[in-house]
Amino acid sequence: MSAASFRHAGAVRRRVAAILALVLAVSVSPFAPAASAATWLVEQTDYPGEPGSIVTRTGDGLVPTVRWRGETRHDTARLIAADDSPFRAPFETSTVLIARGDLFPDALAGSYRAGQTDSPILLTQSDQITGQTLEALEELDPESIVLLGGTAAISAAVEDELMATYGDDNVDRIGGAERYETAVLLAASGGDPETDTAIVASGENFPDALVSGALAVSEGFPMLLTRPESLTAVTAEALNDLGIDNVLLAGGLEAVSQDVEDAIADLGIDVERVRELGAGRSGTAAAFARLAVERYGYTDDHLQLATGADFPDALTVAPHAGLEEAPIVITNASGVVDAELQAYLDETVSCDFAALHIAGGLLAVTTDVEDTAREALTTGPCAVQLAPESATNLVGETHTVVAFVTNSADAPVANETVTVVAMPASDPSTATPTPESQTMLTDESGTAFADITSATPGEAAIVACVTGPEGGDRCSDPVTKTWLAADFLATGLAGPRGVDIGRDGAAYVTESGFGGDECVTTTVEGPEGEEEVEFCFGLSGAVTRADDDG
């Protein structure tokens, strides 16, 4: 062992000693049995699965993904809204919002309304409802439907069709003469907001505004729109009417100009521009994701991924992301993982990362993009387990413990250094576990074996540790090992053949017994042909338990 390795092993041993001392001083609780290697691997769902379904990928050594694989943008919205899997968002589907699927402003502004009612957003064509949206409505069976936008966005024919099915009183429309007025009406539709913060985004270009909808849902921030070059009058008026004191401005100067920022500031409002300097759409999305995690308490163990080349999937996943308080990130305009998205994935990776959700089919987010993201978000080693939980041997006998090392996807980690430390389980203790510390590498199944013995009776606590991706030690729960002195004497045994120590510390002796007068005759094949042979047996075979009390 090199000097550096020796110092590392010693440091691990000292830290483990402190852990063991604390654990054993407070209590001794039963430890869960170590999982077998078979429980780590989950059978992988066939991929890419069927269009129009929710596809899960797991069990291949990378963090799991859940893809809402819609055949179209309308179908992806259906899958997100009607998802009844364990990965669903807690939608309150008594109200459903419907926006036009080929224009982004109304769906973006509708994120605020979705947050007020915990509702999903479905998409429609301007002049007719697609079959996939009708299917979603049938599955959700809402009591109320709200159309986002005026009749120029969603025609009166669509409204009439919905009223014929769900009733005139159950279909509402929130829409103005144009997109900016619609956003203002949506912001005012829930009464006075419970916050003094609003989001202002471009009403002309979607890229920098895409992922801001999640914060509108989770934080109740009204979503207002503006022209890129100048603050629209109806938006300026709404900022005053809503009592807004703080504005999150979505994107860089190409999305929303400095003139707009200055005009908002002239209203006496503090403006914070959310962007990465010099970054594109994926960088702005990453900036919103960081803001959501660091300021608003979003989780960093669950992430939504959508294409940045188009808007529908990122918009319809926003209510899911907001209710789950999990950020959205997007690819660049070419639909690939660029340096800005890669940097955010590298920041996010941890042993606690649970799942990546993907909004859209394989044309929207390719399998190459998915695999790149999964590889970036997978790390290890993250956990180590020891087995068996407890065992008993005679003094001088060797005990083997088995360490299992896994990554953030619960998959085995090969060629990983494991340090196993054995120490007396109490102070004072007469056990002398040897060696006290040893290191070994895991094999292809993530398994490593350590042999430990003791020249004296007593109990030892054993812990295995690996160095985690963050640099700190990740250690198993302690397991226990007891060595007993062979100082008992058993007499009167009927043909003793073997001895072993049970979990209760007693010795168990197998006895073959002696022959008796119970006989049977059978025919066997002998050297000269078949012959009859008599076998006699007794009933004295046994397993005898011997302990300190005799």
Side-chain angles (χ1 to χ4, degrees), residues 253-313:
L253 295 175
E254 292 183 0
V256 182
S257 69
Q258 186 63 47
D259 287 343
V260 171
E261 182 175 348
D262 293 342
I264 296 173
D266 288 343
L267 297 174
I269 296 173
D270 291 333
V271 182
E272 179 181 358
R273 189 181 288 270
V274 184
R275 62 166 177 171
E276 290 290 319
L277 289 176
R281 60 192 67 188
S282 60
T284 297
F288 265 103
R290 293 185 185 97
L291 181 71
V293 171
E294 295 168 6
R295 184 181 302 174
Y296 299 108
Y298 272 43
T299 181
D300 56 4
D301 64 4
H302 171 191
L303 198 61
Q304 333 293 327
L305 173 63
T307 181
D310 208 346
F311 59 84
D313 298 337

Side-chain angles (χ1 to χ4, degrees), residues 122-491:
L122 297 176
L123 301 178
T124 182
Q125 294 177 349
S126 177
D127 56 351
Q128 64 177 352
I129 306 176
T130 65
Q132 293 155 337
T133 301
L134 289 174
E135 182 182 346
L137 290 172
E138 184 176 346
E139 291 181 54
L140 298 172
D141 191 24
E143 298 173 5
S144 173
I145 297 173
V146 179
L147 302 180
L148 305 180
T151 54
I154 300 176
S155 69
V158 169
E159 185 175 6
D160 292 342
E161 181 179 351
L162 291 171
M163 285 181 172
T165 302
Y166 294 94
D168 292 0
D169 294 336
N170 298 322
V171 179
D172 194 11
R173 181 191 292 271
I174 301 176
E178 33 72 33
R179 61 190 62 185
Y180 305 104
E181 185 179 356
T182 293
V184 169
L185 293 174
L186 284 166
S189 64
D192 292 336
E194 298 179 0
T195 177
D196 61 359
T197 299
I199 300 171
V200 175
S202 169
E204 304 294 333
N205 301 300
F206 68 83
D208 286 346
L210 269 184
V211 300
S212 58
L215 284 178
V217 172
S218 65
E219 307 306 312
F221 295 160
M223 174 71 71
L224 298 172
L225 304 178
T226 183
R227 293 185 179 87
E229 68 281 357
S230 62
L231 182 64
T232 54
V234 67
T235 302
E237 184 179 352
L239 289 170
N240 280 323
D241 292 345
L242 295 171
I244 299 301
D245 294 325
N246 303 281
V247 161
L248 298 177
L249 201 57
L253 295 175
E254 292 183 0
V256 182
S257 69
Q258 186 63 47
D259 287 343
V260 171
E261 182 175 348
D262 293 342
I264 296 173
D266 288 343
L267 297 174
I269 296 173
D270 291 333
V271 182
E272 179 181 358
R273 189 181 288 270
V274 184
R275 62 166 177 171
E276 290 290 319
L277 289 176
R281 60 192 67 188
S282 60
T284 297
F288 265 103
R290 293 185 185 97
L291 181 71
V293 171
E294 295 168 6
R295 184 181 302 174
Y296 299 108
Y298 272 43
T299 181
D300 56 4
D301 64 4
H302 171 191
L303 198 61
Q304 333 293 327
L305 173 63
T307 181
D310 208 346
F311 59 84
D313 298 337
L315 291 182
T316 53
V317 82
H320 174 100
L323 292 177
E324 291 283 285
E325 295 191 343
I328 306 171
V329 292
I330 60 175
T331 66
N332 66 7
S334 300
V336 300
V337 177
D338 60 8
E340 294 154 3
L341 175 54
Q342 184 69 54
Y344 184 78
L345 296 175
D346 292 341
E347 293 171 21
T348 303
V349 61
S350 77
C351 286
D352 297 324
F353 190 84
L356 174 68
H357 287 187
I358 299 176
L362 300 178
L363 294 178
V365 179
T366 67
T367 54
D368 286 343
V369 168
E370 178 180 354
D371 290 341
T372 297
R374 295 180 74 205
E375 289 167 4
L377 292 168
T378 302
T379 189
C382 291
V384 57
Q385 294 177 310
L386 271 183
E389 177 185 348
S390 62
T392 304
N393 283 76
L394 294 176
V395 165
E397 290 184 340
T398 297
H399 171 63
T400 300
V401 291
V402 184
F404 305 99
V405 179
T406 53
N407 67 7
S408 56
D410 292 330
V413 179
N415 299 315
E416 186 62 41
T417 299
V418 182
T419 300
V420 176
V421 175
M423 301 187 67
S426 60
D427 188 16
S429 173
T430 56
T432 53
T434 305
E436 292 185 352
S437 178
Q438 54 187 304
T439 60
M440 65 286 298
L441 290 177
T442 57
D443 60 21
E444 290 301 316
S445 67
T447 305
F449 302 88
D451 293 332
I452 303 170
T453 188
S454 176
T456 55
E459 186 176 271
I462 306 169
V463 168
C465 294
V466 294
T467 301
E470 303 88 356
D473 291 330
R474 289 183 171 264
C475 298
S476 69
D477 288 335
V479 299
T480 58
K481 175 65 185 178
T482 302
W483 282 273
L484 298 178
D487 57 357
F488 59 86
L489 178 65
T491 60

Side-chain angles (χ1 to χ4, degrees), residues 516-533:
D517 54 7
E518 297 289 336
C519 300
V520 295
T521 301
T522 186
T523 300
V524 299
E525 188 70 28
E528 300 180 359
E530 292 186 352
E531 57 183 276
E532 289 188 348
V533 178

